[in-house]
Amino acid sequence: LMMRWPLLLLAGLACVLADLPENFEYATNSFVSDFVTSPVYPSQDPLPHVVHSTIIKHLPDQDLTVHLVRLTNPLLHFHVYPSLTGCPGRNRTSDNAQARGCFIAGNAGFFDTHTGACLGHVVSEGHLVQLDAQMHPSLALSRTTQRWAVGYMNEVDIVPQGQNLVYDEVVNGIGWLVREGQPYLNTSQSAEKISQAFVNLFAPRMAAGHDINGQFLMLEVDGLESANLGAKLTVMTELALEYGLYNAINLDGGGSTTVYMEGAVRNRCCDKCAAGHEAEHCPAGWDGACQRAVTTILCIR
């Protein structure tokens, strides 16, 4: 599927000076960086080239509904956006996507469900939203160097001291699923101290990354935690490898999981509607399910 409307121009491909908060201090408890970089597919076509597939994956214990989105030319068309009020802040994925002019969008990073605070680094269109070094993997894109970066990135990897912002788009997940074409969940589980319960949970899941050619891929699996439906992280790793992800991280899942495309939510959302918001029920969702308001989204436009 190819989009057919004019390109919304970006702020160019030049390095962008980091807009650090006044009196900002780099974290002193940072970890040792460990990330890999790969070329982004170099096309600068002004129209994004997108393929969306809905797949029924037959497993011994259940059939999974999988949404796979491939953006073949991400250099100009892959974006990370915070909520419309920044971080902290929350919007439904569809509301944020419509406001940003996204053709396809998905929920992105984890967040504090009590305060709406974003967790991890967030960079959007070359503007620093926040630096938050955590031992969890980032997905980053640089339009200047035309490279992806995936893995454990410190603050100085995003903004070297006294230098320019390196990446134009950055978001964090929890769990590095695939590293250079090989399963990496076991290693990342140990490094990030991810609980076995989180790994083994049957739940809706969201993952994102790129293939060996530098094309962007977003992978979503429908589910319902209360009914033990969805994917364990081990299954998400297997699916990511099966569908060609060369580097992939696990993003926020559960009730946050949302796939928006062409004005509608396409996945089976599962977050319980708040009292008084029953009319916002997702047409394709589980009974009584609405979209959850989230802090960041991935956007194709």
mmCIF file of all heavy atoms in Angstrom, residues 136-166:
data_model
loop_
_atom_site.group_PDB
_atom_site.id
_atom_site.type_symbol
_atom_site.label_atom_id
_atom_site.label_comp_id
_atom_site.label_asym_id
_atom_site.label_seq_id
_atom_site.Cartn_x
_atom_site.Cartn_y
_atom_site.Cartn_z
ATOM 1 N N HIS A 136 17.557 -0.663 29.494
ATOM 2 C CA HIS A 136 16.547 -1.240 28.613
ATOM 3 C C HIS A 136 16.840 -0.750 27.204
ATOM 4 O O HIS A 136 17.411 0.331 27.019
ATOM 5 C CB HIS A 136 15.137 -0.842 29.055
ATOM 6 C CG HIS A 136 14.751 -1.349 30.406
ATOM 7 N ND1 HIS A 136 14.703 -2.701 30.695
ATOM 8 C CD2 HIS A 136 14.435 -0.691 31.551
ATOM 9 C CE1 HIS A 136 14.350 -2.861 31.961
ATOM 10 N NE2 HIS A 136 14.186 -1.665 32.498
ATOM 11 N N PRO A 137 16.432 -1.495 26.181
ATOM 12 C CA PRO A 137 16.889 -1.189 24.824
ATOM 13 C C PRO A 137 16.153 -0.015 24.180
ATOM 14 O O PRO A 137 14.967 0.191 24.395
ATOM 15 C CB PRO A 137 16.604 -2.486 24.062
ATOM 16 C CG PRO A 137 15.426 -3.074 24.783
ATOM 17 C CD PRO A 137 15.632 -2.734 26.230
ATOM 18 N N SER A 138 16.916 0.726 23.388
ATOM 19 C CA SER A 138 16.368 1.819 22.584
ATOM 20 C C SER A 138 16.289 1.392 21.126
ATOM 21 O O SER A 138 17.075 0.562 20.658
ATOM 22 C CB SER A 138 17.267 3.058 22.678
ATOM 23 O OG SER A 138 17.356 3.542 23.983
ATOM 24 N N LEU A 139 15.351 1.992 20.422
ATOM 25 C CA LEU A 139 15.283 1.951 18.959
ATOM 26 C C LEU A 139 15.472 3.387 18.499
ATOM 27 O O LEU A 139 14.699 4.262 18.877
ATOM 28 C CB LEU A 139 13.943 1.401 18.479
ATOM 29 C CG LEU A 139 13.671 1.476 16.967
ATOM 30 C CD1 LEU A 139 14.641 0.593 16.188
ATOM 31 C CD2 LEU A 139 12.221 1.094 16.656
ATOM 32 N N ALA A 140 16.526 3.628 17.712
ATOM 33 C CA ALA A 140 16.869 4.997 17.334
ATOM 34 C C ALA A 140 17.179 5.074 15.848
ATOM 35 O O ALA A 140 17.703 4.129 15.259
ATOM 36 C CB ALA A 140 18.077 5.476 18.149
ATOM 37 N N LEU A 141 16.869 6.236 15.255
ATOM 38 C CA LEU A 141 17.157 6.482 13.846
ATOM 39 C C LEU A 141 17.848 7.828 13.707
ATOM 40 O O LEU A 141 17.402 8.827 14.280
ATOM 41 C CB LEU A 141 15.867 6.451 13.023
ATOM 42 C CG LEU A 141 16.001 6.720 11.519
ATOM 43 C CD1 LEU A 141 15.010 5.865 10.725
ATOM 44 C CD2 LEU A 141 15.755 8.196 11.195
ATOM 45 N N SER A 142 18.925 7.852 12.927
ATOM 46 C CA SER A 142 19.626 9.097 12.591
ATOM 47 C C SER A 142 19.466 9.372 11.107
ATOM 48 O O SER A 142 19.874 8.558 10.269
ATOM 49 C CB SER A 142 21.116 8.995 12.935
ATOM 50 O OG SER A 142 21.822 10.103 12.388
ATOM 51 N N ARG A 143 18.886 10.509 10.781
ATOM 52 C CA ARG A 143 18.759 10.879 9.371
ATOM 53 C C ARG A 143 20.075 11.428 8.833
ATOM 54 O O ARG A 143 20.324 11.361 7.628
ATOM 55 C CB ARG A 143 17.623 11.892 9.198
ATOM 56 C CG ARG A 143 16.272 11.318 9.564
ATOM 57 C CD ARG A 143 15.088 12.188 9.173
ATOM 58 N NE ARG A 143 13.871 11.439 9.447
ATOM 59 C CZ ARG A 143 13.183 11.511 10.570
ATOM 60 N NH1 ARG A 143 13.575 12.321 11.536
ATOM 61 N NH2 ARG A 143 12.103 10.772 10.747
ATOM 62 N N THR A 144 20.903 11.947 9.712
ATOM 63 C CA THR A 144 22.181 12.498 9.273
ATOM 64 C C THR A 144 23.130 11.391 8.819
ATOM 65 O O THR A 144 23.698 11.448 7.734
ATOM 66 C CB THR A 144 22.834 13.310 10.404
ATOM 67 O OG1 THR A 144 21.926 14.330 10.820
ATOM 68 C CG2 THR A 144 24.133 13.942 9.935
ATOM 69 N N THR A 145 23.282 10.366 9.652
ATOM 70 C CA THR A 145 24.173 9.251 9.309
ATOM 71 C C THR A 145 23.451 8.161 8.531
ATOM 72 O O THR A 145 24.089 7.241 8.034
ATOM 73 C CB THR A 145 24.775 8.634 10.574
ATOM 74 O OG1 THR A 145 23.725 8.070 11.386
ATOM 75 C CG2 THR A 145 25.529 9.687 11.379
ATOM 76 N N GLN A 146 22.117 8.251 8.473
ATOM 77 C CA GLN A 146 21.286 7.261 7.804
ATOM 78 C C GLN A 146 21.534 5.861 8.382
ATOM 79 O O GLN A 146 21.743 4.895 7.660
ATOM 80 C CB GLN A 146 21.507 7.279 6.284
ATOM 81 C CG GLN A 146 21.164 8.610 5.658
ATOM 82 C CD GLN A 146 21.159 8.593 4.147
ATOM 83 O OE1 GLN A 146 21.093 7.535 3.516
ATOM 84 N NE2 GLN A 146 21.222 9.765 3.534
ATOM 85 N N ARG A 147 21.460 5.806 9.723
ATOM 86 C CA ARG A 147 21.676 4.533 10.405
ATOM 87 C C ARG A 147 20.648 4.339 11.513
ATOM 88 O O ARG A 147 20.183 5.298 12.142
ATOM 89 C CB ARG A 147 23.086 4.457 11.005
ATOM 90 C CG ARG A 147 24.195 4.479 9.963
ATOM 91 C CD ARG A 147 25.552 4.182 10.563
ATOM 92 N NE ARG A 147 25.721 2.775 10.921
ATOM 93 C CZ ARG A 147 26.092 1.830 10.067
ATOM 94 N NH1 ARG A 147 26.330 2.120 8.789
ATOM 95 N NH2 ARG A 147 26.230 0.582 10.462
ATOM 96 N N TRP A 148 20.304 3.069 11.728
ATOM 97 C CA TRP A 148 19.557 2.643 12.897
ATOM 98 C C TRP A 148 20.541 2.374 14.031
ATOM 99 O O TRP A 148 21.684 1.983 13.795
ATOM 100 C CB TRP A 148 18.806 1.342 12.632
ATOM 101 C CG TRP A 148 17.685 1.391 11.668
ATOM 102 C CD1 TRP A 148 17.671 0.913 10.392
ATOM 103 C CD2 TRP A 148 16.361 1.888 11.912
ATOM 104 N NE1 TRP A 148 16.437 1.087 9.813
ATOM 105 C CE2 TRP A 148 15.610 1.688 10.727
ATOM 106 C CE3 TRP A 148 15.746 2.492 13.009
ATOM 107 C CZ2 TRP A 148 14.279 2.071 10.619
ATOM 108 C CZ3 TRP A 148 14.419 2.872 12.899
ATOM 109 C CH2 TRP A 148 13.691 2.657 11.717
ATOM 110 N N ALA A 149 20.087 2.532 15.249
ATOM 111 C CA ALA A 149 20.809 2.049 16.424
ATOM 112 C C ALA A 149 19.807 1.325 17.313
ATOM 113 O O ALA A 149 18.693 1.820 17.536
ATOM 114 C CB ALA A 149 21.464 3.192 17.183
ATOM 115 N N VAL A 150 20.199 0.153 17.804
ATOM 116 C CA VAL A 150 19.316 -0.645 18.654
ATOM 117 C C VAL A 150 20.149 -1.202 19.803
ATOM 118 O O VAL A 150 21.225 -1.775 19.573
ATOM 119 C CB VAL A 150 18.660 -1.804 17.880
ATOM 120 C CG1 VAL A 150 17.764 -2.637 18.806
ATOM 121 C CG2 VAL A 150 17.847 -1.271 16.701
ATOM 122 N N GLY A 151 19.648 -1.032 21.019
ATOM 123 C CA GLY A 151 20.334 -1.606 22.163
ATOM 124 C C GLY A 151 20.382 -0.670 23.343
ATOM 125 O O GLY A 151 19.589 0.269 23.460
ATOM 126 N N TYR A 152 21.350 -0.916 24.215
ATOM 127 C CA TYR A 152 21.448 -0.207 25.487
ATOM 128 C C TYR A 152 22.273 1.060 25.295
ATOM 129 O O TYR A 152 23.483 1.020 25.126
ATOM 130 C CB TYR A 152 22.063 -1.119 26.543
ATOM 131 C CG TYR A 152 21.305 -2.423 26.689
ATOM 132 C CD1 TYR A 152 21.931 -3.652 26.548
ATOM 133 C CD2 TYR A 152 19.927 -2.412 26.940
ATOM 134 C CE1 TYR A 152 21.231 -4.838 26.673
ATOM 135 C CE2 TYR A 152 19.208 -3.594 27.058
ATOM 136 C CZ TYR A 152 19.868 -4.811 26.922
ATOM 137 O OH TYR A 152 19.159 -5.973 27.033
ATOM 138 N N MET A 153 21.592 2.197 25.341
ATOM 139 C CA MET A 153 22.197 3.480 25.000
ATOM 140 C C MET A 153 22.145 4.426 26.190
ATOM 141 O O MET A 153 21.075 4.671 26.758
ATOM 142 C CB MET A 153 21.477 4.101 23.801
ATOM 143 C CG MET A 153 21.411 3.175 22.593
ATOM 144 S SD MET A 153 20.495 3.871 21.193
ATOM 145 C CE MET A 153 21.664 5.107 20.640
ATOM 146 N N ASN A 154 23.326 4.938 26.569
ATOM 147 C CA ASN A 154 23.415 5.918 27.629
ATOM 148 C C ASN A 154 23.027 7.303 27.117
ATOM 149 O O ASN A 154 22.873 7.520 25.912
ATOM 150 C CB ASN A 154 24.842 5.957 28.184
ATOM 151 C CG ASN A 154 24.989 5.102 29.432
ATOM 152 O OD1 ASN A 154 24.217 5.250 30.374
ATOM 153 N ND2 ASN A 154 25.967 4.224 29.432
ATOM 154 N N GLU A 155 22.939 8.229 28.050
ATOM 155 C CA GLU A 155 22.620 9.609 27.677
ATOM 156 C C GLU A 155 23.648 10.180 26.704
ATOM 157 O O GLU A 155 23.299 10.892 25.765
ATOM 158 C CB GLU A 155 22.530 10.469 28.943
ATOM 159 C CG GLU A 155 21.369 10.069 29.849
ATOM 160 C CD GLU A 155 21.439 10.718 31.215
ATOM 161 O OE1 GLU A 155 22.564 11.062 31.638
ATOM 162 O OE2 GLU A 155 20.395 10.873 31.856
ATOM 163 N N VAL A 156 24.930 9.871 26.931
ATOM 164 C CA VAL A 156 25.974 10.432 26.058
ATOM 165 C C VAL A 156 25.965 9.794 24.676
ATOM 166 O O VAL A 156 26.558 10.344 23.740
ATOM 167 C CB VAL A 156 27.373 10.290 26.694
ATOM 168 C CG1 VAL A 156 27.492 11.152 27.933
ATOM 169 C CG2 VAL A 156 27.686 8.833 27.010
ATOM 170 N N ASP A 157 25.304 8.649 24.526
ATOM 171 C CA ASP A 157 25.135 8.073 23.188
ATOM 172 C C ASP A 157 24.105 8.861 22.386
ATOM 173 O O ASP A 157 24.196 8.950 21.158
ATOM 174 C CB ASP A 157 24.697 6.603 23.282
ATOM 175 C CG ASP A 157 25.695 5.742 24.021
ATOM 176 O OD1 ASP A 157 26.896 5.874 23.739
ATOM 177 O OD2 ASP A 157 25.277 4.948 24.884
ATOM 178 N N ILE A 158 23.136 9.421 23.094
ATOM 179 C CA ILE A 158 22.097 10.226 22.451
ATOM 180 C C ILE A 158 22.590 11.651 22.231
ATOM 181 O O ILE A 158 22.432 12.224 21.145
ATOM 182 C CB ILE A 158 20.814 10.234 23.304
ATOM 183 C CG1 ILE A 158 20.367 8.809 23.653
ATOM 184 C CG2 ILE A 158 19.707 10.982 22.581
ATOM 185 C CD1 ILE A 158 20.013 7.940 22.471
ATOM 186 N N VAL A 159 23.192 12.221 23.264
ATOM 187 C CA VAL A 159 23.721 13.589 23.202
ATOM 188 C C VAL A 159 25.134 13.587 23.791
ATOM 189 O O VAL A 159 25.289 13.725 25.003
ATOM 190 C CB VAL A 159 22.845 14.589 23.977
ATOM 191 C CG1 VAL A 159 23.322 16.018 23.709
ATOM 192 C CG2 VAL A 159 21.384 14.462 23.605
ATOM 193 N N PRO A 160 26.175 13.407 22.987
ATOM 194 C CA PRO A 160 27.541 13.505 23.511
ATOM 195 C C PRO A 160 27.755 14.866 24.148
ATOM 196 O O PRO A 160 27.279 15.889 23.642
ATOM 197 C CB PRO A 160 28.415 13.326 22.260
ATOM 198 C CG PRO A 160 27.540 12.605 21.284
ATOM 199 C CD PRO A 160 26.151 13.103 21.548
ATOM 200 N N GLN A 161 28.458 14.898 25.262
ATOM 201 C CA GLN A 161 28.630 16.149 26.001
ATOM 202 C C GLN A 161 29.271 17.216 25.117
ATOM 203 O O GLN A 161 30.311 17.002 24.517
ATOM 204 C CB GLN A 161 29.472 15.905 27.248
ATOM 205 C CG GLN A 161 28.774 14.989 28.250
ATOM 206 C CD GLN A 161 29.447 14.960 29.607
ATOM 207 O OE1 GLN A 161 29.984 15.967 30.050
ATOM 208 N NE2 GLN A 161 29.401 13.819 30.265
ATOM 209 N N GLY A 162 28.602 18.369 25.039
ATOM 210 C CA GLY A 162 29.095 19.484 24.257
ATOM 211 C C GLY A 162 28.920 19.318 22.758
ATOM 212 O O GLY A 162 29.442 20.121 21.984
ATOM 213 N N GLN A 163 28.182 18.318 22.340
ATOM 214 C CA GLN A 163 28.010 18.069 20.913
ATOM 215 C C GLN A 163 26.527 18.085 20.535
ATOM 216 O O GLN A 163 25.666 18.410 21.347
ATOM 217 C CB GLN A 163 28.657 16.737 20.540
ATOM 218 C CG GLN A 163 30.160 16.688 20.792
ATOM 219 C CD GLN A 163 30.776 15.385 20.346
ATOM 220 O OE1 GLN A 163 30.426 14.827 19.306
ATOM 221 N NE2 GLN A 163 31.709 14.878 21.151
ATOM 222 N N ASN A 164 26.272 17.715 19.281
ATOM 223 C CA ASN A 164 24.914 17.739 18.758
ATOM 224 C C ASN A 164 24.148 16.471 19.097
ATOM 225 O O ASN A 164 24.732 15.413 19.350
ATOM 226 C CB ASN A 164 24.939 17.897 17.233
ATOM 227 C CG ASN A 164 25.509 19.226 16.793
ATOM 228 O OD1 ASN A 164 25.314 20.243 17.452
ATOM 229 N ND2 ASN A 164 26.213 19.229 15.683
ATOM 230 N N LEU A 165 22.851 16.582 19.067
ATOM 231 C CA LEU A 165 21.982 15.421 19.198
ATOM 232 C C LEU A 165 22.270 14.467 18.054
ATOM 233 O O LEU A 165 22.273 14.860 16.888
ATOM 234 C CB LEU A 165 20.525 15.894 19.160
ATOM 235 C CG LEU A 165 19.409 14.900 19.437
ATOM 236 C CD1 LEU A 165 19.507 14.370 20.857
ATOM 237 C CD2 LEU A 165 18.064 15.596 19.241
ATOM 238 N N VAL A 166 22.530 13.206 18.373
ATOM 239 C CA VAL A 166 22.963 12.244 17.359
ATOM 240 C C VAL A 166 21.779 11.673 16.591
ATOM 241 O O VAL A 166 21.866 11.452 15.382
ATOM 242 C CB VAL A 166 23.774 11.101 18.013
ATOM 243 C CG1 VAL A 166 24.148 10.035 16.980
ATOM 244 C CG2 VAL A 166 25.032 11.658 18.675
#
